[in-house]
Amino acid sequence: MIVAFRCDATQGQSDMSQVFQRVGVIGAGAMGRGIAQMVAQAGCQVSIYDSAPAACEAARQGILAQWSRMSSKGKCSADQEQAWGQNLSIAASINDMAGCDLIIEAIVERLDVKREVFAQVEQCVSADCVLATNTSSLSVTAIAATLKHPERVAGYHFFNPVPLMRLVEVIPGLKTNSQVCERLTQLTKDMGHTPVSAQDTPGFIVNHAGRGYGTEALRIISESVSDFATVDRILRDQAGFRLGPFELMDLTALDVSHPVMESVYHQYFEEPRYRPSVITAQRLAGGLLGKKVGEGFYNYADGVVQTPPEADAPTPAMMPPVWVSPKAARRPELYQLLKDLGADIETGQAPSERALILVAPLGMDVTTLAAVERLDPTRVLGIDLLIPDAATRRRVLATNPATRADMRDAAHALFARDGKAVSVIKDSGGFVTQRVLATIVNIASDICQQSICTPQDLDLAVSLGLGYPKGPLAWGDELGPTNILETLFNLQTVYGDPRYRPSPWLRRRGALGLSLKHQEI
Ligand SMILES: NC(=O)c1ccc[n+]([C@@H]2O[C@H](COP(=O)([O-])OP(=O)(O)OC[C@H]3O[C@@H](n4cnc5c(N)ncnc54)[C@H](O)[C@@H]3O)[C@@H](O)[C@H]2O)c1
């Protein structure tokens, strides 16, 4: 039977109240090192083992140096630094970990090697020792399947760098004893990290919920809607992401991020929502991996990103009057904005022959609206108003294939009059922000539909693990589930792609006017 002990996080001293007394960490690379540090700080005795002996000593030295920096900055006391140091040791072999009550593996991401190492562990540890895997893409159930006691195996997924990324996914395999996860959850809290519970499914929560951002941005540039730097600017300035998707891919490096895109897609048996892009496959093959090699979507000179310059707003000789489609989203706000910008607004039933014509669709493309509303397409542009204008730092306009250059320039100049940044893109059902946000909210909704985690854990995990400005479900609620639904239905119409089909979770909550966080009884 597994007994739940409590752990005193702040003292760094072992005592019998701890949830685990002695912890073995196998694999002393980037992750193992961080995990060992945090477990030692939680007051457990930690021994590190790695098949490359030099890796253990390097990890130990690295952790001691980290504590020394913390101590000199006043982030821990000298007593704590000393106590944590006493908690840390190196194991010469797996057999030296026989007395541990928890083993965490953070070795190479291969099913055969992880199974082999745990089989070795099982031969030396006691019957109630918990085995945790830090795998990010393998099935916990599959890792446990060949062991004598699969009920003591759980996924324990940390994020890099472990001390700074304060989220841990705790994942039961199909046979895992619930007390195993309860104890790992408590240890996570004792480290000062935030635990979330996830079902054993490809990508768990974070690497699953994160599929929408990069893949939709890649689809947008693959359609020549705009260039990657403009898409990054739009998603930073209009949607509030800290990093644009292409900046993020450059930072993560394509040899890490492209295989994850392929892995989740294939593990879900080619689910179109997660479909990767030939763009990253080709760039990976060509070695344009990102910042670490000096060349990715952006170029880097001595590590400094070279951002392509943004064109100034044009200065047209004449400014035409403006007519707004009666079907425009946020129509009263758009009129107020035009008024504030000093536009000559036409209020007739139809535009005059000189007017610039504005549509503001959700998910639909500008071309379709111009055709359906029988508008002169040469004078029609779209504006993305899914997010209220006052909440953004950039406005996004879209032309259609027939738009005249003078109308495009007039619209650009008009919306830049108050100094706000403006991007003009080619026609795209859902512009940039609508497409990306609707995809993110839809995938998050489907994670809840599949009961992979609770809606609360979903938003928590995405905010902490991916650093998005808002949890996807809270974001969907704020923008309006029916607006997200309309965007997705129209995207499906424009592209005919099942990628955009709305999750039943979103459809039902949208239809009933419920919050996306609402969990049925
Ligand atoms: N790096 C990340 O961002 C990240 C995030 C979450 C999870 N993970 C997962 O954590 C695990 C480790 O990743 P990492 O980035 O720390 O890798 P890493 O390459 O930095 O370190 C792996 C270490 O494991 C050792 N090792 C390999 N085979 C071994 C064996 N049979 N026995 C003992 N030691 C062995 C290696 O010598 C190496 O020191 C992987 O499963 C990975 O998927 C990584």
Side-chain angles (χ1 to χ4, degrees):
M1 192 186 105
I2 295 160
V3 182
F5 297 108
R6 288 296 317 281
C7 184
D8 180 354
T10 51
Q11 295 307 306
Q13 303 286 351
S14 296
D15 68 51
M16 285 309 289
S17 67
Q18 286 181 190
V19 68
F20 292 104
Q21 295 288 310
R22 293 191 56 191
V23 179
V25 175
I26 304 182
M31 297 306 289
R33 176 184 298 207
I35 295 167
Q37 178 188 332
M38 295 314 297
V39 174
Q41 284 178 216
C44 307
Q45 293 288 322
V46 186
S47 52
I48 319 172
Y49 168 74
D50 196 292
S51 52
C56 282
E57 189 48 37
R60 198 177 78 91
Q61 291 302 333
I63 296 169
L64 293 177
Q66 178 67 18
W67 286 332
S68 168
R69 276 193 296 274
M70 284 168 68
S71 174
S72 59
K73 286 182 184 170
K75 291 186 175 170
C76 68
S77 69
D79 284 353
Q80 276 177 315
E81 184 193 348
Q82 198 191 6
W84 294 343
Q86 283 167 1
N87 286 347
L88 193 65
S89 63
I90 289 175
S93 74
I94 285 183
N95 286 338
D96 284 357
M97 294 182 162
C100 290
D101 47 8
L102 167 64
I103 301 285
I104 306 171
E105 76 73 18
I107 61 167
V108 60
E109 185 75 342
R110 273 181 45 190
L111 179 61
D112 57 339
V113 184
K114 287 190 193 287
R115 279 176 164 176
E116 197 183 299
V117 163
F118 272 147
Q120 257 181 287
V121 168
E122 265 201 325
Q123 284 175 9
C124 67
V125 295
S126 65
D128 60 358
C129 176
V130 167
L131 310 188
T133 169
N134 185 45
T135 181
S136 36
S137 63
L138 302 171
S139 156
V140 174
T141 304
I143 292 171
T146 50
L147 296 178
K148 278 186 252 163
H149 294 290
E151 69 280 1
R152 58 155 137 188
V153 181
Y156 202 33
H157 187 220
F158 289 80
F159 294 82
N160 193 15
V162 176
L164 297 182
M165 296 293 289
R166 299 195 157 259
L167 177 76
V168 187
E169 293 174 330
V170 180
I171 307 128
L174 287 181
K175 293 190 175 175
T176 308
N177 182 323
S178 62
Q179 286 189 341
V180 166
C181 291
E182 284 163 22
R183 294 178 74 194
L184 291 173
T185 298
Q186 186 56 52
L187 177 63
T188 311
K189 291 179 185 165
D190 292 343
M191 289 175 199
H193 277 28
T194 302
V196 286
S197 177
Q199 292 304 316
D200 184 20
T201 49
F204 310 127
I205 307 173
V206 170
N207 285 339
H208 183 167
R211 289 311 94 224
Y213 193 45
T215 59
E216 194 58 27
L218 284 160
R219 291 186 71 74
I220 290 167
I221 64 162
S222 76
E223 287 167 22
S224 308
V225 167
S226 194
D227 58 274
F228 67 85
T230 302
V231 172
D232 274 354
R233 286 188 188 105
I234 291 171
L235 288 165
R236 273 194 323 255
D237 297 349
Q238 190 177 42
F241 287 93
R242 210 167 44 211
L243 287 177
F246 298 99
E247 292 171 298
L248 186 63
M249 281 185 259
D250 270 5
L251 202 64
T252 314
L254 286 188
D255 55 342
V256 175
S257 53
H258 183 82
V260 174
M261 290 187 219
E262 285 211 10
S263 162
V264 173
Y265 176 62
H266 292 309
Q267 286 190 73
Y268 271 107
F269 300 107
E270 284 72 46
E271 163 57 58
R273 289 195 182 106
Y274 318 131
R275 192 188 302 126
S277 166
V278 293
I279 294 175
T280 44
Q282 196 201 34
R283 294 177 85 86
L284 171 59
L288 285 78
L289 304 183
K291 190 176 177 186
K292 71 179 179 186
V293 297
E295 199 178 9
F297 287 99
Y298 296 87
N299 285 323
Y300 299 83
D302 297 325
V304 179
V305 64
Q306 310 295 299
T307 309
E310 191 173 7
D312 290 336
T315 47
M318 294 281 289
M319 185 58 76
V322 184
W323 184 87
V324 175
S325 158
K327 294 184 182 150
R330 297 194 193 278
R331 199 158 171 255
E333 281 172 53
L334 181 52
Y335 272 121
Q336 186 59 49
L337 173 62
L338 289 168
K339 220 168 126 191
D340 294 345
L341 293 170
D344 174 8
I345 304 169
E346 288 190 357
T347 52
Q349 294 242 311
S352 73
E353 295 213 331
R354 286 182 53 233
L356 164 68
I357 303 168
L358 289 178
V359 294
L362 289 176
M364 194 54 83
D365 61 355
V366 178
T367 304
T368 305
L369 281 191
V372 169
E373 295 185 38
R374 295 174 183 275
L375 302 167
D376 171 6
T378 65
R379 296 182 285 136
V380 178
L381 278 101
I383 179 165
D384 184 355
L385 288 173
L386 173 66
I387 300 178
D389 183 72
T392 68
R393 286 183 285 125
R394 180 175 293 270
R395 300 183 180 118
V396 179
L397 305 171
T399 56
N400 71 77
T403 306
R404 286 189 340 230
D406 62 324
M407 287 294 160
R408 178 199 59 202
D409 291 350
H412 188 163
L414 173 64
F415 283 103
R417 267 184 182 171
D418 58 357
K420 202 176 244 197
V422 174
S423 294
V424 184
I425 61 171
K426 296 254 167 48
D427 204 2
S428 155
F431 302 86
V432 171
T433 294
Q434 290 180 17
R435 284 176 75 157
V436 170
L437 289 190
T439 303
I440 288 171
V441 174
N442 198 30
I443 290 175
S445 296
D446 216 54
I447 289 174
C448 295
Q449 186 64 46
Q450 293 176 51
S451 302
I452 291 171
C453 64
T454 63
Q456 284 67 28
D457 274 1
L458 184 289
D459 269 11
L460 193 59
V462 171
S463 306
L464 290 175
L466 295 172
Y468 289 0
K470 288 167 195 168
L473 300 174
W475 217 344
D477 276 345
E478 191 181 304
L479 296 171
T482 51
N483 287 336
I484 301 290
L485 268 176
E486 185 178 339
T487 303
L488 289 167
F489 280 130
N490 286 335
L491 280 165
Q492 226 186 328
T493 304
V494 172
Y495 294 104
D497 189 336
R499 170 181 179 77
Y500 300 109
R501 72 194 189 285
S503 165
W505 181 277
L506 177 58
R507 287 181 76 142
R508 291 179 185 139
R509 279 153 190 78
L512 297 172
L514 295 171
S515 158
L516 295 182
K517 291 197 168 184
H518 178 82
Q519 213 165 1
E520 59 195 279
I521 49 167

